[in-house]
């Protein structure tokens, strides 16, 4: 038999529950009556449930009439026929019971569903009772909603009106844009034509600019700057000599034994000759001029010489650059002198910017300074005690300014010459650069100083260290001679002219001169010098003045 306790009926309504546990299943008729009576107990207040209960209940099959006999009668008769009849009745009763149980189960399931519907309906009724106030709220919200809808409709109407105006405006803008695009196409065509014209003009302008730049000389270092650096250099030499060689007592003895002393520096022997040494012995006050002469000759040989293409440039590269400059003269179209000079100037300036070139310049300048200082310590033993600071002071004061001057002279497109051997010239502004070294040496040895040379040179009396002026009282010979030059203390600076062997003097040379007659002292009374003044200035003395 199936257990009815395990049938899940769901939650029953709270008013009344139907108990299916204690139904008597031994009698199908009583079971049917029990179910019918319980179904009729459902309250009539639930219309849906009553409608569900009105469904016809399938009755059990009609049982055959059975004869209920007592146990005693059955035992007494105990016949085979009754036994078979009883078995058959028992089987039929069991079959009917199974059918009843199946119907009962279906009705129990239906009852569970009805209970669930009843509970749902009650909950709905309770919710409807609670929602009366909510209905009022809904109605209020509905009114507000319709009001809002009306406002939105008004706003939509306004937007439609604005949309029509915007469309009209857009149509106008579209028409204007179409016209502007047509004008733009016209102007773009004109612009392209103007751009092509502008490009052609830019090309022409670039070509003209290049032509102008080719014709225009490059940035040139002015002659005034070269002359200023040149004069400053030799003023620094004079200042250094005045500071270091003051009151030197050993220089005269060292100069006397210079040419015979095996330990004497070769640098000094290559610069000084017997004439200079004899002049120094005769005029001890000329020792500072000798030192200036030694320094300027050494600086010129090592740094400022015309043969040096650029101080710091090695011999191999110097040869290549000279060969290129010489080969450019044979190019077609023919390069003029200025074009080659511009190439040389720009090439040397670019070479100067190469990493390490200035370092090499400084290294070579240090060697020049140390060699010069070592040679000077032979003549000035007093400065040997401060060798480290001494050569550095000489390096900073003289050597590096000379390197800077030489570099600027080579960077210029002009050609400069420094004349350390004074030739015989008729004008300091016109010097022939084609004179051979032998001719210049001969002119140096036999050079005579005339009175007009005072205007051309800076003439220093080797005996008194005084600078001669045009109004100095001098003994002047009939031909204007006043003495012989001994050495050039400061060389002549010339800028050579194009297509000319002559040059323009940028700085006068300073020349140490041995006067034929010592300078006379000035007299306050003119009458005292009237008898001899004319002969001192080159004229014939009066008869009363002759002896």
């Amino acid at each position: 038999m199936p257990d009815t306790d395990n049938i899940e009926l769901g939650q029953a309504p709270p008013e009344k529950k139907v108990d299916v546990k204690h139904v008597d299943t031994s009698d199908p008729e009583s079971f049917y009556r029990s179910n019918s009576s319980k179904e009729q107990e459902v309250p009539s207040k639930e219309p849906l449930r009553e409608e569900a209960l009105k469904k016809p209940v399938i009755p059990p099959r009609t049982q055959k009439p059975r004869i209920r006999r007592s146990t005693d009668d059955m035992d007494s008769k105990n016949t085979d026929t009754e036994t078979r009849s009883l078995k058959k009745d028992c089987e039929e009763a069991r079959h009917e019971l199974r059918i009843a149980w199946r119907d009962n189960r279906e009705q129990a399931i239906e009852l569970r569903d009805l209970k669930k519907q009843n509970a749902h309906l009650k909950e709905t009724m309770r919710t409807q009772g609670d929602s009366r106030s909510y209905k009022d709220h809904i109605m209020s919200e509905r009114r507000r909603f319709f009001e809002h809808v009306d406002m939105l409709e008004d706003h939509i109407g306004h937007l439609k009106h604005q949309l029509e105006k915007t469309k009209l405006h857009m149509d106008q803008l579209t028409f204007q844009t179409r016209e502007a695009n047509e004008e733009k196409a016209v102007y773009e065509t004109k612009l392209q034509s103007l751009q092509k014209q502008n490009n052609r003009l830019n090309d022409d302008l670039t070509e003209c600019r290049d032509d102008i730049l080719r014709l225009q000389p490059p940035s040139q270092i002015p002659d005034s700057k070269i002359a200023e650096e040149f004069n400053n250099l030799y003023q620094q030499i004079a200042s250094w000599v005045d500071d270091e060689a003051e009151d030197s007592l050993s220089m005269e003895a060292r100069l006397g034994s210079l040419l015979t002393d095996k330990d004497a520096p070769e640098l000094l022997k290559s610069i000084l000759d017997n004439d200079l040494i004899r002049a120094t012995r005769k005029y001890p006050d000329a020792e500072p001029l000798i030192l200036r002469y030694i320094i300027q000759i050494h600086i010129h040989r090592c740094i400022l010489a015309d043969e040096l293409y650029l101080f710091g440039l090695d011999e191999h590269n110097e040869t290549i650059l000279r060969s290129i400059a010489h080969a450019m003269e044979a190019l077609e179209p023919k390069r003029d002198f200025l074009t080659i000079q511009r190439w040389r100037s720009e090439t040397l300036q670019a070479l100067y910017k190469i990493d390490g070139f200035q370092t090499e310049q400084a290294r070579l300048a240090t060697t020049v300074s140390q060699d010069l200082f070592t040679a000077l310590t032979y003549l000035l033993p007093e400065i040997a005690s401060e060798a480290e600071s001494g050569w550095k002071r000489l390096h900073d004061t003289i050597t590096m300014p000379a390197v800077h001057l030489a570099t600027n002279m080579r960077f210029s497109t002009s050609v400069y010459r420094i004349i350390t051997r004074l030739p015989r010239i008729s004008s300091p502004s016109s010097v022939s650069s084609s004179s051979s070294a032998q001719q210049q040496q001969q002119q140096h040895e036999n050079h005579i100083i005339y009175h007009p040379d005072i205007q051309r040179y800076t003439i220093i009396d080797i005996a008194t260290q005084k600078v001669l002026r045009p109004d100095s009282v001098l003994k002047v010979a009939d031909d204007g001679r006043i003495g012989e030059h001994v050495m050039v203390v400061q060389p002549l600076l010339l800028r050579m002219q194009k297509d000319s062997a002559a040059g323009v003097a940028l700085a006068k040379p300073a020349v140490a001169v041995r006067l034929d007659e010592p300078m006379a002292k000035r007299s306050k009374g003119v009458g005292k010098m009237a008898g001899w003044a004319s002969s001192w200035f080159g004229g014939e003395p009066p008869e009363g003045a002759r002896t």
Side-chain angles (χ1 to χ4, degrees):
M1 296 288 292
D3 189 2
T4 59
D5 293 337
N6 296 329
I7 298 175
E8 184 178 357
L9 300 179
Q11 295 181 354
E15 291 86 358
K16 189 173 182 180
K17 298 181 180 180
V18 178
D19 189 5
V20 296
K21 287 184 178 182
H22 303 289
V23 177
D24 187 7
T25 60
S26 61
D27 189 0
E29 294 181 359
S30 62
F31 176 74
Y32 173 75
R33 287 192 300 271
S34 175
N35 288 336
S36 299
S37 62
K38 290 179 181 180
E39 290 174 359
Q40 294 175 1
E41 293 177 359
V42 177
S44 61
K45 295 181 180 180
E46 302 175 359
L48 295 177
R49 189 175 181 185
E50 290 178 357
E51 183 178 355
L53 292 175
K54 290 178 181 181
K55 293 180 180 181
V57 178
I58 299 174
R61 295 183 180 181
T62 305
Q63 300 178 358
K64 294 180 179 182
R66 292 182 301 180
I67 301 175
R68 297 181 176 274
R69 297 181 179 88
S70 62
T71 306
D72 295 335
D73 293 337
M74 292 173 63
D75 292 337
S76 62
K77 293 181 179 182
N78 197 10
T79 62
D80 295 335
T81 304
E82 292 178 351
T83 301
R84 284 192 299 270
S85 178
L86 289 175
K87 287 182 179 180
K88 185 177 180 180
D89 292 340
C90 182
E91 291 178 358
E92 290 178 356
R94 288 179 181 175
H95 179 70
E96 291 176 357
L97 181 62
R98 282 194 297 271
I99 293 174
W101 270 110
R102 186 163 46 251
D103 294 339
N104 183 32
R105 180 176 179 81
E106 292 177 355
Q107 291 177 2
I109 293 173
E110 186 177 1
L111 178 62
R112 182 189 62 185
D113 295 338
L114 292 174
K115 288 181 179 180
K116 289 182 179 181
Q117 292 179 6
N118 185 28
H120 177 70
L121 291 174
K122 286 185 177 181
E123 184 67 23
T124 303
M125 291 178 64
R126 189 161 50 249
T127 304
Q128 290 177 354
D130 296 338
S131 63
R132 290 177 181 177
S133 59
Y134 180 71
K135 288 181 179 179
D136 297 336
H137 177 69
I138 291 298
M139 293 300 294
S140 176
E141 291 295 328
R142 182 180 180 187
R143 286 192 297 272
R144 291 176 59 187
F145 173 75
F146 283 119
E147 291 175 358
H148 185 64
V149 169
D150 294 337
M151 182 181 67
L152 291 177
E153 289 178 351
D154 295 338
H155 185 63
I156 289 172
H158 176 71
L159 292 178
K160 288 181 178 179
H161 178 68
Q162 293 292 331
L163 179 62
E164 293 177 356
K165 291 175 63 178
T166 304
K167 287 182 178 180
L168 179 61
H169 184 63
M170 288 296 296
D171 294 338
Q172 295 177 354
L173 292 178
T174 302
F175 178 74
Q176 294 177 359
T177 303
R178 188 180 300 110
E179 291 182 345
N181 288 333
E182 293 175 356
E183 294 179 359
K184 178 183 176 182
V186 175
Y187 285 120
E188 284 181 349
T189 304
K190 293 181 179 179
L191 178 62
Q192 291 176 358
S193 176
L194 292 175
Q195 285 179 345
K196 293 179 180 179
Q197 184 178 358
N198 185 39
N199 292 333
R200 290 195 301 269
L201 293 176
N202 284 333
D203 294 338
D204 295 340
L205 179 61
T206 302
E207 185 177 356
C208 292
R209 187 185 296 112
D210 294 339
D211 292 339
I212 292 174
L213 290 176
R214 282 192 292 267
L215 295 175
Q216 182 181 3
S219 58
Q220 174 71 10
I221 300 175
D223 292 342
S224 58
K225 183 177 180 180
I226 298 294
E228 181 182 0
E229 292 183 1
F230 181 84
N231 290 325
N232 289 339
L233 171 63
Y234 290 96
Q235 288 177 6
Q236 292 288 349
I237 293 175
S239 298
W240 188 89
V241 170
D242 292 340
D243 293 339
E244 301 295 338
E246 186 177 3
D247 298 332
S248 177
L249 301 177
S250 59
M251 183 174 174
E252 182 179 358
R254 292 295 180 94
L255 281 174
S257 59
L258 175 64
L259 300 178
T260 59
D261 188 0
K262 295 181 181 180
D263 297 331
E266 292 297 329
L267 187 149
L268 297 179
K269 292 180 180 181
S270 64
I271 295 175
L272 298 178
D273 54 15
N274 289 325
D275 292 338
L276 293 175
I277 294 175
R278 283 194 298 268
T280 306
R281 289 178 180 178
K282 185 176 181 180
Y283 305 104
D285 293 336
E287 292 175 357
L289 297 178
I290 292 292
L291 291 175
R292 290 171 60 181
Y293 177 77
I294 294 172
I295 294 173
Q296 67 98 355
I297 290 296
H298 182 69
I299 291 297
H300 180 267
R301 288 178 178 177
C302 297
I303 300 174
L304 297 173
D306 297 337
E307 295 79 12
L308 295 176
Y309 208 71
L310 178 64
F311 180 74
L313 186 64
D314 61 279
E315 184 177 356
H316 176 70
N317 289 322
E318 179 178 342
T319 303
I320 292 176
L321 294 178
R322 288 184 184 275
S323 301
I324 294 174
H326 181 70
M328 289 179 68
E329 298 176 358
L331 294 178
E332 293 295 338
K334 190 174 181 59
R335 270 61 170 178
D336 57 3
F337 175 77
L338 183 58
T339 301
I340 298 175
Q341 288 298 103
R342 288 174 182 172
W343 171 84
R344 180 187 59 82
S345 174
E346 294 177 356
T347 302
L348 293 181
Q349 291 183 47
L351 183 63
Y352 185 77
K353 297 294 184 180
I354 296 177
D355 294 340
F357 184 82
Q358 297 182 39
T359 303
E360 179 65 14
Q361 264 194 346
R363 185 187 68 81
L364 295 177
T366 299
T367 303
V368 172
S369 299
Q370 292 175 344
D371 293 344
L372 179 58
F373 187 81
T374 302
L376 292 177
T377 55
Y378 177 80
L379 299 176
L380 303 173
E382 303 86 29
I383 66 174
S385 58
E386 48 183 14
E388 185 66 25
S389 61
W391 79 263
K392 288 183 179 179
R393 187 163 57 252
L394 176 69
H395 179 78
D396 296 336
T397 305
I398 298 175
T399 308
M400 290 310 297
V403 172
H404 189 265
L405 171 62
T407 303
N408 285 338
M409 290 171 62
R410 299 301 181 266
F411 285 171
S412 174
T413 56
S414 300
V415 178
Y416 297 96
R417 294 287 184 266
I418 297 177
I419 309 300
T420 58
R421 298 286 188 177
L422 191 63
R424 180 72 179 106
I425 57 177
S426 59
S427 173
S429 62
S430 178
V431 177
S432 175
S433 61
S434 61
S435 300
S436 64
Q438 183 178 0
Q439 291 174 341
Q440 292 184 5
Q441 178 68 20
Q442 183 178 0
Q443 291 170 351
H444 165 67
E445 293 176 353
N446 302 318
H447 186 66
I448 299 173
I449 300 298
Y450 295 90
H451 190 271
D453 291 336
I454 297 177
Q455 300 286 348
R456 306 179 185 122
Y457 311 146
T458 299
I459 298 178
I460 303 172
D461 183 8
I462 194 172
T464 62
Q465 308 293 308
K466 293 181 179 181
V467 178
L468 275 63
R469 297 182 299 178
D471 59 347
S472 298
V473 181
L474 300 172
K475 176 66 175 179
V476 182
D478 294 341
D479 58 355
R481 169 176 169 155
I482 60 175
E484 294 181 355
H485 99 278
V486 180
M487 58 184 151
V488 177
V489 180
Q490 176 176 326
L492 172 66
L493 176 62
L494 295 176
R495 176 173 57 81
M496 308 310 295
Q497 294 179 336
K498 180 183 177 182
D499 300 331
S500 175
V504 178
L506 302 180
K508 296 197 303 183
V511 183
V513 176
R514 183 190 302 110
L515 295 177
D516 295 338
E517 296 290 340
M519 280 193 302
K521 294 182 180 180
R522 291 178 178 272
S523 176
K524 295 181 180 180
V526 179
K528 293 182 180 181
M529 57 179 300
W532 51 267
S534 59
S535 64
W536 280 88
F537 285 98
E540 291 292 333
E543 294 182 0
R546 295 180 181 178
T547 57

